[in-house]
Amino acid sequence: QVQLVESGGGLVQAGGSLRLSCAASGSIASLNVMGWYRQAPGNQRELVASITSGGITNYADSVKGRFTISRANAKNTVLLQMNSLKPEDTAVYYCSYVRLGWHQNTFGYWGQGTQVTVSS
């Protein structure tokens, strides 16, 4: 079992910044992928950014150049720095964890979700 505890999020004006943090604990595999997904009302959950245990990153096109994902604290903490936020970034953001090579939706773990609201 893996537990994910998120922090950060909140309300910010357009153009502002927020930072999300997620700490993983439990049976952490040495090779894994951690990341952030988001879900806005009426929309499907979508990948925002991910980072492997080796530091390889992947970003949604909509956030490239604005968001930065990184790992810290023996690599079991994942951070998402969100700059130049837009109203369309408003969503519930979920931390994710899965063993490298496994499918997130089938075998992954999720955080409880944190609300990010960007006002125009």
Side-chain angles (χ1 to χ4, degrees):
Q1 292 288 325
V2 173
Q3 295 77 42
L4 302 173
V5 178
E6 302 161 347
S7 60
L11 173 64
V12 65
Q13 288 188 333
S17 299
L18 284 174
R19 189 175 81 162
L20 305 182
S21 178
C22 174
S25 62
S27 300
I28 307 297
S30 57
L31 301 178
N32 61 68
V33 182
M34 293 188 69
W36 292 91
Y37 287 68
R38 67 186 180 188
Q39 187 169 18
N43 291 354
Q44 290 187 334
R45 190 173 297 189
E46 62 176 2
L47 175 68
V48 176
S50 65
I51 183 168
T52 70
S53 46
I56 298 173
T57 58
N58 180 42
Y59 294 92
D61 288 342
S62 59
V63 307
K64 284 181 180 177
R66 300 188 297 122
F67 291 11
T68 302
I69 192 168
S70 61
R71 298 184 76 144
N73 295 343
K75 301 183 179 181
N76 287 341
T77 297
V78 63
L79 306 173
L80 184 68
Q81 179 66 42
M82 304 185 291
N83 298 328
S84 302
L85 282 161
K86 304 175 181 180
E88 50 264 44
D89 294 317
T90 296
V92 177
Y93 284 68
Y94 296 91
C95 179
S96 66
Y97 164 93
V98 70
R99 288 176 177 261
L100 187 65
W102 293 28
H103 197 276
Q104 174 67 34
N105 287 338
T106 306
F107 300 106
Y109 293 85
W110 299 97
Q112 76 279 9
T114 185
Q115 178 70 46
V116 171
T117 302
V118 184
S119 63
S120 56

